[in-house]
Amino acid sequence: MANVIILGAQWGDEGKGKIVDLLTEQADAVVRFQGGHNAGHTLVVDGKKYVLHLIPSGIVRGKTCMIGNGVVLDPAALLQEMEELNRLGVTITGAGFKISALTQLIMPYHRELDVAREKRKGKGKIGTTGRGIGPTYEDKMARRGIRLGDLYNRQVFEAKLQENLAYHNFVLENYHNAATFTLEAIRDDYLRMADQLAPYVDDVSTLLADAMDAGQAILFEGAQGTMLDVDHGTYPFVTSSSTVAGGACSGTGVGPTRIDYVLGVAKAYTTRVGSGPFPTELHDAIGEHLFTVGHELGASTGRARRCGWFDAVVVRHAARINGLTGMALTKLDVLDGLPTLKICVAYQRNGRRLENMPSDPSILEVCEPVYEEMPGWSEPTSGITQVEALPKAARDYIQRLETLTGVPASILSTGPDRIQTMIVDNPFARPRR
Ligand code: GDP
Ligand code: IMO
Ligand code: MG
């Protein structure tokens, strides 16, 4: 059985949660490798909805779930999510849930810094989720971050916390004119949560290596999307982690030679939450249709998602950066009833045609999309389980997206429920390298 990475090929919210849940049936373990509780992954099973933020979507199927070292962890948010899942009938045990001791902790001052910084930026804000994600990754790279494992060595933890507070309180007070924090309150709170999390802390890299050596199949669950990657996305309007396939390896401690399949999830159109360039964004009745029919409200923050046509330049970019083996095309049903569909095949600037994503964000900002038009379909596609049963126009549209992106559609999704899916090429059926 193969090891498979599932990640977003656009700006996040592509439907990763649904696809992960669907394919989890064939995996032995699911591991998150980056991001934090800025993610919101929705799955619908027999009409029952679950929204996961930090815990891998595989938990609903009772598979072993892990949080890799590349994730930033807010222990309070994690404990709250565990409680909510418990209420929904999903039991989490120390045997079935593991968190890397190397995971960086989101601290209360990170959240405060995130919010204060956005406020200061005013109109130029990134539109972050306000969960402290960026400041936590900054501390990691600055080599002063506090890791989950540090909580179990009180002296080390207190010394690090003191050093961090001296620095961040200074910035909060003098630069942002914002609230500051005392050591004792944070220390006691985090030590209490450390006790609660102790059964789950482990060496995830070694656990994964042992599982793979024993022939088990691992699913790597990405959060956010390629265009939000800190290097390859629409910088600076990105998140602060490596959302791309390479991040799955560094974020779990697994070598790239062990990956057999990279599945990019893409909506049959495009959405984005937060600020930043979005060439195919629509401000008309079609945009309204995508927003309303697609229920495009954020799963984490409840913010309205901006909507637009499918952008083949974006997904081609994702195909290259991630080495996509296949794509899962979601929300095809949202296009039902639109008489004409547009696909962005390239960009245009000052009369010059650009086939690839420009690296300069100020250029992308002024790029015009070059559209190709295709006829839509009027029949409902929801619930269709055979590709041949899709309207001819829908099959033509899918084929055109495959040609333009160079990526075969391995999975087609026509509704939020697990069963509203067609698997054309099962990633887990691939032979091991
Ligand atoms: P993620 O962050 O990539 O996991 O995606 P989200 O869960 O944030 O957003 C995707 C939304 O689309 C969720 O509400 C899903 O239930 C829903 N969804 C997923 N696939 C489909 C589909 O094929 N059709 C429709 N109509 N909804 C879908
Ligand atoms: P999932 O996993 C869509 C966006 C935010 C903001 C930018 C930076 O559900 O696809 P951050 O709080 O990460 O510093 O915010 O990234 N963003 C997402 N957009 N889906 C997500 O996750 C996102 N996580 C962060 O809106 O523009
Ligand atoms: Mg989401």
Side-chain angles (χ1 to χ4, degrees):
M1 288 288 269
N3 296 315
V4 178
I5 300 174
I6 299 183
L7 49 76
Q10 294 160 325
W11 275 283
D13 301 327
E14 298 90 347
K16 297 176 292 294
K18 170 187 162 157
I19 302 298
V20 169
D21 168 62
L22 175 82
L23 293 179
T24 291
E25 190 178 24
Q26 300 169 63
D28 295 290
V30 184
V31 59
R32 273 278 305 269
F33 55 88
Q34 46 68 234
H37 65 310
N38 49 348
H41 296 177
T42 317
L43 17 151
V44 182
V45 184
D46 298 330
K48 194 166 167 185
K49 184 170 150 177
Y50 304 81
V51 183
L52 294 149
H53 302 284
L54 257 169
I55 299 173
S57 304
I59 203 79
V60 178
R61 290 214 192 231
K63 292 292 168 84
T64 301
C65 284
M66 303 190 203
I67 291 183
N69 57 276
V71 168
V72 287
L73 181 85
D74 183 328
L78 175 63
L79 288 165
Q80 192 189 340
E81 188 170 339
M82 290 166 81
E83 222 179 276
E84 272 162 27
L85 280 170
N86 215 358
R87 231 176 289 132
L88 287 169
V90 181
T91 321
I92 299 174
T93 65
F97 181 47
K98 299 291 180 194
I99 314 168
S100 168
L102 306 183
T103 305
Q104 297 276 334
L105 294 177
I106 299 181
M107 307 299 289
Y109 45 83
H110 290 134
R111 276 193 305 276
E112 191 71 24
L113 281 164
D114 193 353
V115 174
R117 234 186 254 164
E118 287 279 278
K119 201 167 130 197
R120 200 184 166 93
K121 280 191 168 160
K123 263 185 78 174
K125 71 177 181 190
I126 289 163
T128 72
T129 58
R131 309 262 151 106
I133 306 293
T136 307
Y137 278 114
E138 286 169 37
D139 275 358
K140 170 181 177 169
M141 293 315 189
R143 297 168 293 185
R144 62 169 166 252
I146 302 176
R147 307 200 285 193
L148 179 59
D150 294 331
L151 296 180
Y152 303 96
N153 184 335
R154 196 184 161 129
Q155 262 179 344
V156 169
F157 172 52
E158 242 187 271
K160 279 193 165 190
L161 183 58
Q162 194 159 32
E163 180 200 332
N164 274 280
L165 277 176
Y167 177 71
H168 289 307
N169 272 341
F170 181 85
V171 175
L172 280 168
E173 188 174 349
N174 297 297
Y175 187 68
H176 291 296
N177 202 15
T180 56
F181 295 85
T182 57
L183 184 134
E184 291 72 21
I186 297 180
R187 181 196 59 202
D188 295 349
D189 212 21
Y190 273 64
L191 287 177
R192 183 184 46 78
M193 293 191 286
D195 284 342
Q196 289 175 271
L197 293 177
Y200 310 104
V201 185
D202 217 317
D203 175 352
V204 164
S205 169
T206 300
L207 288 174
L208 287 171
D210 291 347
M212 290 185 292
D213 288 347
Q216 294 196 358
I218 311 296
L219 194 164
F220 298 79
E221 176 178 357
Q224 290 79 55
T226 304
M227 298 311 293
L228 290 170
D229 181 82
V230 70
D231 289 291
H232 304 287
T234 43
Y235 192 88
F237 298 100
V238 293
T239 191
S240 298
S241 65
S242 290
T243 63
V244 296
C249 294
S250 59
T252 54
V254 167
T257 48
R258 304 206 81 154
I259 306 298
D260 304 293
Y261 199 109
V262 185
L263 181 70
V265 186
K267 272 178 188 159
Y269 50 98
T270 314
T271 63
R272 160 160 218 178
V273 209
S275 326
F278 179 2
T280 64
E281 183 171 14
L282 294 168
H283 298 283
D284 58 7
I286 308 261
E288 196 57 37
H289 169 104
L290 298 174
F291 175 76
T292 314
V293 181
H295 301 290
E296 295 297 353
L297 282 173
S300 265
T301 56
R303 288 180 294 172
R305 296 174 183 151
R306 300 152 67 191
C307 299
W309 292 117
F310 187 90
D311 188 336
V313 181
V314 162
V315 180
R316 270 205 302 272
H317 182 75
R320 186 180 74 253
I321 306 280
N322 297 298
L324 295 184
T325 322
M327 69 178 159
L329 207 53
T330 62
K331 302 194 104 165
L332 268 168
D333 54 301
V334 175
L335 302 180
D336 295 355
L338 291 175
T340 306
L341 303 176
K342 288 189 187 181
I343 309 169
C344 169
V345 296
Y347 300 144
Q348 190 161 295
R349 182 179 163 259
N350 294 338
R352 240 188 79 228
R353 189 179 160 108
L354 304 176
E355 301 290 339
N356 295 313
M357 182 64 57
S359 57
D360 183 340
S362 65
I363 293 182
L364 183 61
E365 198 71 69
V366 294
C367 274
E368 290 291 326
V370 178
Y371 283 121
E372 193 175 286
E373 289 193 8
M374 291 191 80
W377 54 90
S378 51
E379 308 91 314
T381 57
S382 240
I384 291 181
T385 52
Q386 301 287 321
V387 180
E388 309 76 55
L390 285 170
K392 165 113 184 15
R395 278 181 283 137
D396 289 346
Y397 180 70
I398 296 162
Q399 210 172 55
R400 190 66 191 136
L401 299 191
E402 292 181 314
T403 305
L404 287 167
T405 59
V407 187
S410 316
I411 294 177
L412 302 170
S413 171
T414 57
D417 203 285
R418 195 186 265 179
I419 54 169
Q420 293 167 308
T421 326
M422 289 162 260
I423 303 183
V424 181
D425 170 32
N426 178 359
F428 281 99
R430 286 277 163 127
R432 270 275 165 83
R433 283 190 207 229

